[in-house]
Amino acid sequence: MLLIASGAAAAERWYVFSIGETPVGYVIERTDGPATETVVFARLTRLGKSIEMRFAGTARESADGELQSLSYEALLSKQATKLEARVEGDGIVIASGDQQRTIARGEAPVLGAAAIARLTTSRLRNSGDAIDYAIFSPELQRVTRVRRRVLAVDEPVRCANTSALKMEETMEGPPAARSGSTRALR
């Protein structure tokens, strides 16, 4: 997965979402105070058939960047799935449809998108630089660890006529760790 990011610490961040080197959609994050809205849109085409996917969420975080709540909707084809999550003490309460459950939050702070953007901008500058953090994954409905590592500096970006940091992002939780590359415009 490749993402080409614009303005990583800005109030609005755009990404080109690619699988391999092929652009398939976009990601936009808009931060307004403690709330960040994230929308991911992708169209996958294979053997002449297209599938559209849209994932949208609004996360609220505290002043120190810890997740407080999340509203999330996934639209795969025409089937929508909605989820609400809120941090309460040492747990995260997850509500989906008429079901509700609580999971453990864990030891590490669970960060929101704006905090991750600030951390990326401040700490990832040179090849080999890395950060580790925890997020709540609405797709997995659990807290998971993520690692971002800079692979290259001043990597050319075809569709943006500029250069960027090329980063690898690895997330635990699926049956195997998921890795991808992220390109953040400088």
Side-chain angles (χ1 to χ4, degrees):
M1 167 176 39
L2 291 175
L3 296 174
I4 302 169
S6 174
E12 187 170 282
R13 295 169 299 280
W14 283 85
Y15 305 82
V16 174
F17 177 52
S18 299
I19 296 177
E21 294 290 329
T22 305
V24 295
Y26 64 87
V27 179
I28 183 171
E29 293 178 342
R30 291 184 185 102
T31 300
D32 184 12
T36 299
E37 175 190 21
T38 302
V39 177
V40 178
F41 175 81
R43 178 178 290 131
L44 304 177
T45 304
R46 184 160 184 203
L47 302 173
K49 302 270 184 180
S50 290
I51 298 171
E52 290 188 358
M53 300 180 289
R54 182 179 182 277
F55 306 93
T58 301
R60 298 185 70 77
E61 56 191 78
S62 64
D64 62 356
E66 288 198 47
L67 181 70
Q68 294 178 320
S69 65
L70 173 74
S71 297
Y72 174 81
E73 179 180 75
L75 185 61
L76 303 171
S77 210
K78 295 183 184 340
Q79 183 70 27
T81 302
K82 295 182 180 183
L83 175 134
E84 300 284 328
R86 70 184 179 283
V87 176
E88 289 187 2
D90 291 340
I92 298 176
V93 179
I94 304 168
S96 181
D98 59 352
Q99 296 182 358
Q100 182 172 304
R101 67 188 182 102
T102 302
I103 63 166
R105 188 178 63 139
E107 299 289 321
V110 178
L111 299 183
I116 295 165
R118 289 189 304 271
L119 193 59
T120 298
T121 301
S122 68
R123 303 226 346 242
L124 298 182
R125 298 178 183 213
N126 301 304
S127 187
D129 289 353
I131 56 174
D132 295 291
Y133 52 91
I135 63 166
F136 172 74
S137 168
E139 299 87 0
L140 299 173
Q141 296 189 21
R142 61 174 274 192
V143 174
T144 187
R145 303 282 307 167
V146 178
R147 176 178 198 122
R148 282 189 179 172
R149 184 172 60 92
V150 177
L151 299 176
V153 178
D154 294 326
E155 179 82 9
V157 179
R158 291 182 310 187
C159 65
N161 195 26
T162 189
S163 64
L165 290 176
K166 180 178 182 182
M167 294 181 280
E168 174 185 63
E169 185 173 90
T170 305
M171 181 173 128
E172 23 176 74
R178 168 173 93 176
S179 293
S181 296
T182 302
R183 288 194 172 119
L185 299 180
R186 296 168 64 81

